[in-house]
């Protein structure tokens, strides 16, 4: 049975009693710094919970195992320890301490520091070269002053001849031009070097997990007692900030089968300060930062306005504890047998586990990801989705038809909101976003504009006329012709919308002249033309291959001549 102990401030006071009850030896504990490794990580949208494991051989009696050089950002309250082995060990307590070191504990940090030192030395070389250029420019200036200074005294040098002046100008022009070019080159190289230095400094600050210049880490000491000599495999689990994952999708429409292949990816970022090497990765949809329950609604108080007092310094942040489950290490899928036929590469599929409030995706293969804030895309699943295709258009805004696929999530995976790259066969066509879709839910995928459906909108006429017996009224009429052409080899469904003017004044009267009111349906009883909210009209019809259809749209607006009306184009 695995052994487990949470961090508890009262546990240290109970440890002596527990030791007496278990007849633990009072001999001083042997301290052993273990060489542990990261074996698993569960990544949340705003943090990661990692598992560090080590296998040790214990002697009977008390022992202290020290996990050294852990990230300074480790969340103490999240620590969990469990173990299994033949030693019959009892975990007594767990201690966390922060240590400041003269040398950086991380190999990656030391490498970056060496790189930064080299870049700064190179910057000093550029500074010296620029200073030398300044000295040479000053020397050219002094030579010019000496040559052009007025003659004084009996032993004064004779005035320069015309040839001397020409030689001086040539000398000055040659050297000043060369020095100016050299200065520009040095300044450009130094500016590029400055950007490199800033980038390395940013990586260092991220890896150190604290303010610039600080070099600290944490050490966790696990004190335990073994009933007899034997082995023990110990797992240390803790949460660290700096990691995250976001969903991303590739939606690929196969035009021959008219099916959509939706590939689900997780884009993982590691900035925890620890490199992940060949570990089992799990992605979780849980959001621990939201807390365990809905916030309590405070009373709505109306009172006299008073100056707000400043917040005191006695506030604290309560960390919401959460339970994590660590699974076994992911195993790569067995290699496909050798075959002469050429086959498309397949997408590795993660296993999904749904809980009451979240879902976890266990990635099929181990992952290696350095702690430098770069992102890595891992495959979660690929799902073929039967889809109903239609083209949607808003000709008044843009004369293009956009392909849309209505599909149902037939998988066991919840699709979280994220970016979608849309492809028509193997051609990238557009980017869009997907809303959160649960298993069994129907959703729409935007697949981009398709020039195979031609859309034209032409304002045939816009005319104004006086109305009434004494020209007391004014009428504005809009006559629009919409043309749709199907240039594809398959019949396609078209949906487009036009907006009617919406009157907000009792003296402004809007009349629909075409199509006729009798041909217009409602959302409860739809027809080919349906009236929607805010005066919009929606047309839905089929276009055969090569078919062209012209649709008239005509509307008038009547108002008093002395009434200024806004919103008329």
């Amino acid at each position: 049975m695995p052994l487990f102990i949470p961090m508890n401030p009262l546990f240290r006071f109970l440890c002596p009693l527990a030791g007496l009850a278990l007849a633990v030896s009072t001999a001083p504990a042997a301290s052993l710094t273990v060489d542990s490794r990261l074996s698993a990580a569960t990544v949340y949208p705003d943090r990661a919970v990692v598992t560090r494991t080590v296998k040790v051989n214990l002697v009977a009696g008390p022992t202290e195992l020290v996990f050294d050089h852990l990230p300074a950002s480790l969340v103490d309250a999240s620590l969990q320890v469990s173990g299994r082995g033949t030693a019959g060990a009892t975990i007594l307590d767990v201690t966390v301490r922060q240590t400041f070191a003269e040398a950086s504990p991380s190999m990656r940090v030391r490498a970056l520091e060496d790189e930064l030192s080299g870049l700064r030395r190179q910057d000093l070389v550029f500074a010296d070269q620029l200073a030398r250029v300044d000295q040479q420019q000053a020397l050219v200036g002094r030579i010019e002053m000496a040559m052009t200074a007025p003659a004084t005294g009996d032993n004064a040098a004779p005035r320069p001849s015309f040839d001397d002046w020409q030689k001086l100008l040539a000398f000055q022009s040659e050297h000043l031009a060369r020095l100016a070019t050299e200065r520009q080159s040095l300044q450009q190289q130094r500016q590029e070097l400055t950007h490199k230095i800033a980038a390395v400094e940013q990586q260092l600050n991220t890896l150190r997990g604290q303010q610039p210049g600080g070099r600290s880490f944490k050490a966790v000491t696990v004190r335990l007692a073994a009933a007899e000599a034997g082995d023990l495999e110990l797992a240390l689990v803790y949460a660290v900030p700096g990691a995250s994952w976001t969903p991303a999708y590739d939606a690929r429409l196969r035009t021959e089968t008219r099916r959509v292949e939706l590939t689900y990816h997780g884009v993982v970022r590691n900035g925890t300060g620890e490199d992940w090497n060949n570990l089992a990765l799990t992605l979780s949809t849980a959001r621990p930062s939201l807390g365990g329950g809905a916030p309590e609604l405070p009373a709505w108080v109306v009172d006299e306005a008073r100056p707000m007092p400043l917040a005191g310094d006695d506030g604290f942040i309560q960390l919401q504890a959460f339970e994590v489950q660590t699974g076994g290490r992911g195993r790569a899928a067995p290699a496909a047998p050798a075959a002469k036929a050429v086959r498309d590469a397949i997408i590795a599929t993660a296993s999904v586990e749904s809980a009451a409030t979240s879902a976890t995706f266990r990635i099929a293969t181990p992952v290696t990801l350095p702690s430098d804030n770069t992102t890595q895309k891992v495959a979660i699943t690929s799902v073929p989705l039967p889809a109903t295709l239609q083209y949607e258009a808003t000709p008044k805004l843009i004369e293009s038809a956009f392909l849309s696929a209505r599909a149902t999530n037939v998988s066991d995976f919840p699709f979280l909101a994220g970016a979608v790259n849309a492809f028509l066969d193997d051609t990238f066509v557009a980017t869009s976003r997907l809303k959160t879709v649960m298993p069994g839910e129907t959703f729409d995928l935007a697949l981009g504009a398709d020039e195979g459906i031609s859309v034209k909108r032409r304002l045939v006429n816009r005319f104004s006329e006086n109305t009434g017996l004494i020209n007391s009224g004014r009428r504005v009429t809009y006559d629009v012709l919409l043309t749709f052409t199907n240039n594809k080899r398959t019949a396609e469904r078209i949906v487009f919308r036009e907006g009617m003017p919406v009157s907000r004044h009792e003296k402004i009267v809007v009349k629909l002249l075409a199509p006729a009111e009798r041909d217009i349906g409602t959302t409860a009883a739809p027809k080919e033309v349906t009236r929607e909210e805010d005066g919009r009209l929606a047309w839905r019809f089929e276009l055969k291959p090569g078919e062209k259809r012209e649709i008239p749209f005509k509307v008038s607006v009547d108002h008093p001549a002395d009434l200024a009306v806004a919103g008329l184009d």
Side-chain angles (χ1 to χ4, degrees):
M1 178 180 297
L3 302 173
F4 170 80
I5 180 172
M7 288 294 294
N8 192 326
L10 298 177
F11 194 78
R12 296 184 182 181
F13 299 99
L14 300 178
C15 283
L17 298 178
L20 291 175
L22 296 172
V24 176
S25 172
T26 58
S31 181
L32 175 64
T33 300
V34 297
D35 185 15
S36 61
R37 66 177 184 85
L38 286 174
S39 59
T42 299
V43 182
Y44 296 82
D46 62 346
R47 70 192 70 186
V49 174
V50 298
T51 301
R52 184 174 286 275
T53 57
V54 66
K55 190 171 184 178
V56 294
N57 293 318
L58 300 177
V59 297
T63 303
E64 290 184 352
L65 300 181
V66 180
F67 294 78
D68 207 357
H69 294 166
L70 301 184
S73 58
L74 181 152
V75 180
D76 298 354
S78 67
L79 272 172
Q80 300 178 59
V81 182
S82 62
R84 177 186 291 270
T86 61
T90 300
I91 301 173
L92 302 178
D93 60 16
V94 181
T95 305
V96 184
R97 73 176 187 276
Q98 190 168 14
T99 305
F100 292 88
E102 291 297 329
S104 298
S106 169
M107 294 293 294
R108 179 172 292 276
V109 170
R110 286 200 293 269
L112 286 174
E113 287 176 340
D114 293 341
E115 181 181 356
L116 183 60
S117 298
L119 292 175
R120 286 174 175 168
R121 287 194 297 270
Q122 189 175 353
D123 184 66
L124 291 177
V125 172
F126 283 139
D128 293 340
Q129 291 176 343
L130 286 171
R132 177 177 56 81
V133 170
D134 291 339
Q135 293 174 356
Q136 292 180 356
Q137 285 181 332
L139 179 60
V140 172
R142 287 196 296 270
I143 292 174
E144 179 185 358
M145 292 179 60
M147 291 290 294
T148 58
T152 57
D154 296 336
N155 297 324
R159 293 181 62 82
S161 64
F162 181 74
D163 290 340
D164 293 334
W165 281 109
Q166 285 186 322
K167 293 178 181 178
L168 176 61
L169 290 175
F171 171 83
Q172 182 188 42
S173 176
E174 176 186 354
H175 286 77
L176 289 181
R178 178 182 59 81
L179 293 174
T181 302
E182 186 176 354
R183 168 179 285 280
Q184 291 178 358
S185 176
L186 289 172
Q187 287 177 339
Q188 182 178 358
Q189 295 179 61
R190 194 178 187 188
Q191 184 177 9
E192 294 175 355
L193 184 64
T194 301
H195 294 325
K196 292 182 181 179
I197 291 174
V200 174
E201 286 177 341
Q202 183 177 3
Q203 292 184 45
L204 272 175
N205 296 336
T206 302
L207 291 177
R208 289 168 178 166
Q210 56 184 30
Q211 296 298 324
R215 299 178 179 180
S216 69
F217 57 91
K218 286 184 178 179
V220 175
T221 301
V222 180
R223 193 165 64 93
L224 48 83
E228 58 181 325
D231 63 83
L232 176 69
E233 185 172 0
L234 202 65
L236 184 70
V237 180
Y238 53 88
V240 282
S244 64
W245 81 278
T246 55
Y249 304 88
D250 290 339
R252 193 178 305 273
L253 174 64
R254 298 298 182 183
T255 54
E256 291 185 1
T257 60
R258 299 179 73 84
R259 294 170 65 93
V260 174
E261 296 177 3
L262 187 66
T263 304
Y264 193 176
H265 298 284
V267 181
V268 186
R269 179 182 66 87
N270 177 19
T272 62
E274 293 181 305
D275 292 340
W276 297 346
N277 296 312
N278 201 38
L279 54 72
L281 180 65
T282 301
L283 306 180
S284 176
T285 64
R287 292 184 291 173
S289 59
L290 294 182
E296 184 178 352
L297 185 66
W300 185 353
V301 178
V302 179
D303 197 357
E304 178 186 359
R306 297 185 179 91
M308 292 295 292
L310 296 177
D313 296 331
D314 57 348
F316 64 94
I317 299 175
Q318 182 176 1
L319 295 175
Q320 175 68 38
F322 54 95
E323 181 179 302
V324 295
Q325 297 179 350
T326 58
R329 302 178 64 188
R331 297 181 178 178
K340 296 182 179 180
V342 177
R343 301 180 180 180
D344 292 335
I346 61 174
I347 302 297
T349 302
S351 60
V352 58
E353 297 179 8
S354 298
T357 58
S358 63
T360 57
F361 308 131
R362 299 189 184 278
I363 305 305
T365 57
V367 171
T368 296
L369 185 59
S371 178
D372 56 3
N373 271 321
T374 57
T375 58
Q376 180 171 327
K377 182 185 289 187
V378 296
I380 296 178
T381 189
S382 182
V383 184
L385 301 174
T388 301
L389 304 180
Q390 66 181 21
Y391 286 89
E392 299 183 0
T394 310
K396 186 175 182 179
L397 300 181
I398 181 172
E399 293 182 337
S400 294
F402 293 84
L403 182 59
S404 174
R406 170 150 290 196
T408 301
N409 183 4
V410 296
S411 72
D412 296 327
F413 293 78
F415 299 154
L416 302 184
V420 179
N421 292 324
F423 296 82
L424 288 179
D425 291 322
D426 295 324
T427 304
F428 173 73
V429 291
T431 58
S432 60
R433 286 196 64 82
L434 178 68
K435 297 180 180 179
T436 299
V437 181
M438 302 306 293
E441 188 176 354
T442 301
F443 63 102
D444 292 320
L445 273 174
L447 300 176
D450 188 350
E451 299 301 326
I453 303 296
S454 173
V455 180
K456 300 295 181 182
R457 184 184 189 275
R458 182 166 63 93
L459 181 61
V460 178
N461 197 0
R462 178 196 183 279
F463 57 92
S464 301
E465 58 183 329
N466 295 324
T467 61
L469 297 177
I470 54 173
N471 295 332
S472 59
R474 192 75 173 165
R475 175 179 297 158
V476 181
T477 303
Y478 300 88
D479 189 359
V480 178
L481 182 64
L482 299 120
T483 305
F484 294 84
T485 306
N486 183 4
N487 299 313
K488 306 177 75 66
R489 297 181 179 179
T490 55
E492 303 295 345
R493 180 172 176 79
I494 309 296
V495 179
F496 80 93
R497 290 172 174 83
E498 276 287 331
M500 285 183 58
V502 178
S503 174
R504 294 287 189 259
H505 195 284
E506 60 182 5
K507 294 183 179 181
I508 301 176
V509 179
V510 178
K511 295 180 181 179
L512 180 63
L513 305 178
E517 284 288 350
R518 64 177 179 275
D519 297 330
I520 300 176
T522 63
T523 54
K527 296 182 179 180
E528 182 178 278
V529 185
T530 302
R531 191 186 304 276
E532 298 180 341
E533 60 182 6
D534 293 334
R536 288 192 297 266
L537 297 179
W539 281 258
R540 294 175 174 85
F541 54 89
E542 299 285 338
L543 270 185
K544 297 178 181 179
E547 182 182 0
K548 178 180 178 181
R549 183 168 178 180
E550 294 183 343
I551 298 175
F553 173 66
K554 192 172 183 180
V555 65
S556 66
V557 180
D558 289 82
H559 62 89
D562 58 352
L563 179 65
V565 179
L568 296 179
D569 297 335

